[in-house]
């Protein structure tokens, strides 16, 4: 019996249109081959630009944004789908092969009810009658753990939450009883505590319906929970392919090893945390519309140390940074720096106060003026705070470039000419140029690929050692907290849940939320998800 | 243009959450009323604030101080501005725009018939141009970046650049002077047979259609392309649905709101476009009436016509916004 | 930027624009006759002694067209520059100051835009004396409402970018933020908008002149020339079509350049530029 999906020497190209240059052909995927048998799950893993989504969509004979399949075969049950006409391909899409997109919020049509969209493909391909399809939809809603499965389908996409939408999208893919489903980063946009539920639901549904799946993600820990086999991709080529256990426990290639070992602890916790440099006392803050985003938050950060603030979206962690910078003056409470109270509003602070606290953003793209060169970007704080000009300034910019491990050759480049990691480094250099005492880091690595992020974290730690700067590091990623923090603050819905030295915060006894949060973060080991779910079941039966 | 005005007309927050559609429509209606009121202040009060004395203007060169004083009394200009504004607004709301300075006739009476003529013209221009523009826009999307699309793009770009009067005279030269198919000037009179009336407005209607169609078509094209490139259309494609089903079921419901908006905005433009077209074709509508009044500085007529034009414009913009609100599923089906 | 990437349509547009500008700048040297000289019969035909014939008073149409280019372009350009100065200043003020200033400016702008431009102009010009500088001022103020709206939108897009916030956090002054951070990033879309507004100003001025409310005779301007010669239409005299065609051609040329600029801007933003 042939494999369900058998891909041979796949090559995918697209035409790039660089501004001001003639168009050219770029290769997105080159010479990729793999097999997938019935009922199995293959994880495709890689950083951005690895071509994993492109391969996933190729299984539906679809090229997104002008991508076209330039060579190779894609066999579905022994039939090469690349030789089929448009009508036959339509017969495969949505019937035999289905697709789950990363952003279900955008992928559902806002004008129609969820139920209608879930059963649409089954009806149009005449796979089942309306009554059968509706019954199956309810069944799928139930096994995916959606609320009120009988009536869930009557809702509109905007009436349900992000995690529910993602599960509804999975139901939509499962409904026609396909042979293969392509999951394209289905949990990436979700918070950790939501991700684990969706992940569990997807895994359960796959087992229940015995469909085969391609599971695409950049997160090795996630794919380890749902896949049987893993294929590691890099720049459109295969790095290695093997069983989950082999990839996680005995990676053969250097690149895979790096992916597996990412974010191992970088530094030890500092013991003495008594002398605060930055102190936040009983801070509450409101948006202009009166909504209270922060409630009674108190914490402190000693000199030369790192305080990690961890929480999910909406926890108020970024708002706290805005309050400290003075962008959003607090409604109550005070902030002191070096035992001196800071003026609440940005416009009342002295230039020197501003210099001492610098901010690094999540998106380095928008944090730099695209019309300024690296020299202007790093040089401006030098001129502004220290009055440096001309050759002295250039010399200092070059020094800073050395510090962030970038060569002098970058000095006259524009941000658009830098890679994601280089951009973030330049932003760090701009902060360093002010010679600050505290740098507020607002998720500086979450938009980056794991290995690049690792490099940025190591750079930040080295700079801390050299300059004794303190970091207030905002993140949603527990692994980062474990790797770099001296002290940790856990935030949930605008309140501080837990604060103290890392070793204390991250060890039991836990409060409910920290417990949930910690248990929701996938760990890089086979069978982790089962164990967590098992533990939950025990708990709920025990209670 | 949906304004985020925090008009506190709805006391309960819950009421707004339970009926977001209704409350937004009411909000938009009230906004239009406020806007119309403000416009009336600008058109009446703003004009009075400008330098230049009406009485002097009215009398022209022969203004002796005595004559000026007399005419001020006669026109009621000696009363304070606020009093005159209130009187004017009260009259305007009951359909009385005072008397013309030029011929001492009732402005409302003179406007009445002409407004009908203008609306007659605009109505036919609209029912021809709207389906044509939307159809061409869809055609352009269907043949996107291919020859028909490029041709439509170049032609419409050129059409946007043509002044109304130039289009009008071109049509006159071709169809009235050279071939004699159509008539010029476009004279209509009371009791004119309907078909004669139609043939009289053929050329002005064609001019208006040409002027308004290019914009409408380009905006329609952009609106549809925007929808077609969305993720849910890709989802539909990946469900293996046919092209027609994707367009009819998945693209159309979402493209409807922006296209309706485009149409309403262009109809508002059409109302203004009649001014020039009426002058070109010597068509007895409100636009030509206003231009004539401006050149002899007959202020009551100018203010009345200006107010009516602005009212139509505000009304059409409001319709555009309200239709966009109704077409939004988020508001139709609140959480 | 690469000259070879400029499409043919943009070259045509730029060439047309250049011809018009040369005519405008060197009118007395280019034109065969004076602006107001009566040189022949009324409505002499094309070809003959006069390349484009004569107008309703027997003046050389070509000469008037060339002098008209000067008036039309100069007045439109002055109005556009002024409207940009007003609109940009107020919109950037609104964005940088935010809050009540922004609200006040924006609501007032909504009010101004609730009255159609032509109607507003007719009402205002009915009261004001007929002087060219007043005309420029009225055109500029009315058009600045549109500039304000687009300027505010563009500036707002840029102002919420984090590099602007970074500048504020550094403690930079408002002038630095406007001129060094926001303005350089808004130039491309605003340049395209300037072209669009300029084309619109030419059409608008011509319309006003055609209605007898714009440039006053005997000064030549294209819209006024259409008006002067419109009675010839029924006799098949093309004298009013020629200035009309000149207006249309100039506007088309500007739009071709603007079309290219807009596509270039959107492709810089990473879009495929075909929408």
């Amino acid at each position: 019996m042939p494999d369900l999906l058998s891909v041979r020497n796949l090559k995918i190209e697209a035409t790039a249109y660089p501004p001001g240059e003639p168009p050219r052909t770029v290769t997105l995927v080159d010479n990729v081959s793999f097999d997938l048998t019935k009922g199995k799950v293959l994880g495709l893993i890689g950083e951005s630009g690895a071509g994993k989504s492109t391969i996933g969509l190729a299984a539906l004979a679809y090229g997104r944004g002008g991508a076209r399949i330039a060579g190779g075969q894609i066999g579905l049950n022994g039939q090469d789908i690349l030789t089929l006409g448009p009508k036959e391909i339509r017969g495969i899409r949505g019937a035999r092969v289905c697709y789950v997109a990363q952003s279900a919020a955008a992928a559902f049509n806002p004008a129609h009810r969820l139920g209608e969209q879930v059963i649409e493909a089954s009806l149009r391909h005449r796979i089942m009658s309306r009554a059968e399809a509706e019954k199956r939809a309810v069944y799928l809603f139930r096994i995916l753990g959606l609320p009120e499965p009988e009536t869930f389908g009557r809702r509109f996409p905007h009436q349900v939450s992000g995690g529910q939408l993602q599960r509804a999208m999975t139901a939509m893919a499962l409904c026609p009883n396909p042979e293969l489903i392509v999951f394209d980063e289905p949990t990436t946009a979700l918070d950790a505590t939501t991700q684990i539920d969706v992940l569990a639901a997807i895994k359960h549904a796959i087992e229940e319906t015995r469909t085969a799946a391609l599971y695409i993600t950049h997160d090795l820990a996630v794919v380890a929970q749902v896949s049987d086999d893993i294929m590691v991709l890099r720049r459109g080529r295969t790095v290695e392919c093997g069983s989950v256990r082999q990839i996680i426990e005995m990676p053969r290639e250097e690149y895979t090893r790096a992916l597996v070992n990412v974010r191992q602890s970088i530094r030890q916790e500092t013991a003495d945390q008594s002398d605060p440099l930055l102190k936040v006392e009983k801070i509450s803050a409101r948006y202009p519309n009166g909504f209270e985003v922060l409630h009674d938050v108190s914490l402190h950060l000693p000199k030369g140390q790192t305080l990690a603030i961890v929480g999910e979206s909406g926890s108020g962690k970024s708002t706290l940074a805005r309050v400290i910078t003075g962008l959003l003056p607090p409604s109550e409470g005070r902030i002191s720096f070096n035992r001196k109270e800071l003026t609440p509003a940005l416009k009342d602070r002295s230039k020197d106060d501003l210099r001492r606290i610098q901010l690094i953003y999540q998106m380095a793209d928008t944090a730099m003026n695209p019309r300024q060169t690296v020299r202007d970007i790093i040089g401006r704080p030098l001129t502004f705070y220290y009055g440096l000009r001309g050759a002295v300034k250039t010399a200092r910019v070059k020094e800073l470039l050395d510090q962030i491990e970038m060569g002098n050759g970058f000095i006259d480049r524009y941000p658009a000419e830098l890679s994601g990691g280089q951009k973030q480094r330049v932003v760090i250099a701009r902060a360093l140029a002010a010679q600050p005492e505290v740098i507020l880091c607002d998720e500086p690595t979450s938009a980056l690929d794991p290995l690049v992020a690792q490099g940025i974290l190591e750079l930040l730690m080295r700079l801390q050692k050299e300059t004794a700067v303190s970091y207030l590091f905002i993140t949603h990623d527990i692994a980062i907290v474990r790797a770099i923090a001296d002290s940790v603050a856990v935030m949930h819905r605008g309140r501080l849940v837990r604060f103290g030295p890392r070793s204390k915060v991250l060890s039991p006894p836990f409060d409910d939320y920290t417990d949930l949060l910690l248990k929701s973060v996938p760990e890089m080991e086979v069978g982790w998800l089962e164990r967590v779910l098992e533990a939950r079941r025990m708990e709920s039966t025990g209670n | 243009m949906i304004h985020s005005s925090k008009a506190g007309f709805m006391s309960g927050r819950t009421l707004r959450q339970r009926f977001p559609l209704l409350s937004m429509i009411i909000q938009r209606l009230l906004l239009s009323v406020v806007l119309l009121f403000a416009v009336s202040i600008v058109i009446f009060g703003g004009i009075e604030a400008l330098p230049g004395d009406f009485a002097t203007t009215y009398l022209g060169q022969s203004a002796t101080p005595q004559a000026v004083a007399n005419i001020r009394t006669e026109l009621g200009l000696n009363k304070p501005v606020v009093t005159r504004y209130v009187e004017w607004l009260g009259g305007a709301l009951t359909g009385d725009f005072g008397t013309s300075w030029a011929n001492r006739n009732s402005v409302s009476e003179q406007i009445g018939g002409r407004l009908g003529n203008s609306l007659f013209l605009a109505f036919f221009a609209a029912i021809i141009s709207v389906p044509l523009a939307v159809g061409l826009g869809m055609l352009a999307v269907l043949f996107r970046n291919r020859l028909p699309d490029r041709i439509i793009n170049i032609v419409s770009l050129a059409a946007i650049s043509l002044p109304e009067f130039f289009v009008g005279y071109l049509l006159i030269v071709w169809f009235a002077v050279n071939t004699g198919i159509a008539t010029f000037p476009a004279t209509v009179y009371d009791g004119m047979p309907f078909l004669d009336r139609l043939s009289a407005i053929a050329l002005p209607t064609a001019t208006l259609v040409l002027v308004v169609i290019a914009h409408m078509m380009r905006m329609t094209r952009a609106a549809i392309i925007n929808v077609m490139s969305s993720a849910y259309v890709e989802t539909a494609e990946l469900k293996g649905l046919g092209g027609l089903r994707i367009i009819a079921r998945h693209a159309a419901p979402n493209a409807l709101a922006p296209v309706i908006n485009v149409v309403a905005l262009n109809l508002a433009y059409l109302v203004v476009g009649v001014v020039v077209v009426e002058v070109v074709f010597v068509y007895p509508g409100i636009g030509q009436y206003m231009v004539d009044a401006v050149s002899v500085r007959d202020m009551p007529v100018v203010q009345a016509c200006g107010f009516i034009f602005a009212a139509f414009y505000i009304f059409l913009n409001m319709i555009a916004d309200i239709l966009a609100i109704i077409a939004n599923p988020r508001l139709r089906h609140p959480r | 930027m690469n000259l070879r990437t400029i499409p043919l349509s943009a070259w045509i547009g730029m060439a047309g624009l250049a011809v018009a500008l040369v005519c405008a700048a060197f009118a007395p040297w280019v034109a065969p006759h004076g602006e107001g000289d009566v040189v022949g019969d009324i409505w002499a035909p094309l070809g003959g002694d006069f390349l484009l014939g004569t107008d309703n008073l027997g003046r050389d149409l070509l000469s008037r067209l060339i002098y008209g280019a000067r008036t039309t372009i100069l007045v439109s350009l002055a109005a556009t520059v002024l409207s940009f100065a007003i609109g940009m200043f107020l919109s950037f003020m609104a964005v940088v100051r935010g809050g009540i200033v922004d609200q006040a400016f924006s609501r007032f702008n909504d009010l101004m835009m609730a009255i159609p431009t032509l109607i507003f102009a007719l009402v205002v010009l009915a009261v004001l004396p007929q002087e060219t500088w007043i005309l420029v001022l009225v055109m500029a103020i009315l058009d600045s409402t549109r500039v304000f709206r687009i300027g505010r939108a563009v500036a707002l897009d840029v102002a919420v970018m984090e590099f602007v916030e970074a500048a504020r956090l550094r403690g930079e002054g408002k002038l630095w933020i406007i001129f060094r951070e926001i303005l350089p990033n808004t130039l491309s879309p605003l340049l395209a908008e300037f072209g669009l507004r300029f084309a619109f100003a030419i059409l608008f001025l011509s319309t006003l002149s055609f209605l007898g409310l714009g440039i006053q005779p005997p000064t030549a301007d294209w819209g006024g020339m259409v008006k002067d010669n419109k009675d010839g239409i029924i006799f098949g005299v093309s004298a009013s079509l020629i200035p009309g065609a000149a207006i249309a051609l100039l506007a088309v040329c500007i739009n071709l350049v603007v079309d290219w600029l807009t596509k270039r801007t959107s492709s810089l933003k990473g879009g495929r530029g075909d929408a």
Side-chain angles (χ1 to χ4, degrees), chain A residues 391-439:
Chain A
V392 189
K393 180 167 113 178
T394 306
R396 179 80 183 109
V397 171
K398 286 182 178 169
E399 241 175 76
L400 284 161
L401 279 172
D402 279 341
Q403 263 190 305
I404 55 165
E405 297 152 13
M406 278 170 70
N408 291 341
F410 288 98
I411 196 164
D412 287 316
R413 300 257 191 112
Y414 284 91
E417 300 167 309
L418 305 176
S419 72
Q422 287 167 343
K423 282 179 198 160
Q424 197 59 281
R425 280 167 193 265
V426 171
V427 173
I428 292 171
R430 176 176 67 187
L432 279 184
Q435 298 181 22
E437 289 167 49
V438 173
I439 300 183

Side-chain angles (χ1 to χ4, degrees), chain A residues 83-231:
Chain A
T83 60
L84 300 178
K87 203 165 171 222
E88 289 154 310
I89 286 177
R90 279 218 307 273
I92 290 175
R93 290 179 185 165
R96 294 172 62 194
V97 186
C98 292
Y99 179 75
V100 177
Q102 172 174 352
S103 170
F108 271 112
N109 192 326
H112 299 298
R113 293 175 199 275
L114 288 168
E116 282 301 313
Q117 301 190 56
V118 166
I119 62 172
E120 184 181 21
S122 309
L123 298 188
R124 300 307 295 180
H125 291 293
R126 300 178 200 286
I127 294 167
M128 46 189 94
S129 70
R130 175 168 275 273
E132 284 166 346
E134 280 171 355
K135 208 173 132 210
R136 181 162 169 82
V138 171
Y139 161 73
L140 290 169
F141 291 152
R142 183 169 292 124
I143 65 168
L144 283 160
L146 285 164
E148 299 161 39
E150 298 291 338
T151 57
F152 183 81
R154 285 187 218 149
R155 303 192 199 177
F156 278 86
H158 66 270
Q159 293 171 322
V160 307
S161 74
Q164 289 170 355
L165 264 189
Q166 207 68 50
R167 278 180 267 180
M169 182 114 203
T170 307
M172 185 156 86
L174 284 165
C175 189
N177 232 329
E179 296 158 49
L180 173 68
I181 299 185
V182 178
F183 290 96
D184 193 354
E185 305 252 16
T187 64
T188 305
L190 305 174
D191 275 327
T193 48
T194 318
Q195 162 169 292
I196 187 172
D197 290 337
V198 175
L199 211 54
I202 288 177
K203 191 177 167 73
H204 179 59
I206 289 176
E207 281 164 2
E208 200 68 13
T209 55
R210 288 192 205 88
T211 180
L214 278 181
Y215 197 100
I216 296 159
T217 177
H218 69 281
D219 191 337
L220 200 48
V222 163
V223 84
Q225 311 312 321
V226 291
S227 304
D228 300 295
D229 296 306
I230 290 180
M231 179 152 104

Side-chain angles (χ1 to χ4, degrees), chain A residues 294 309 316-328 357 359 440-442 472 474:
Chain A
L294 284 180
I309 301 195
K317 56 190 194 303
S318 291
T319 309
L320 182 61
R322 294 177 66 78
V323 170
I324 293 172
T325 56
L327 283 167
L328 179 69
I357 302 179
L359 185 63
L440 310 176
C441 309
D442 191 357
L472 187 109
I474 293 161

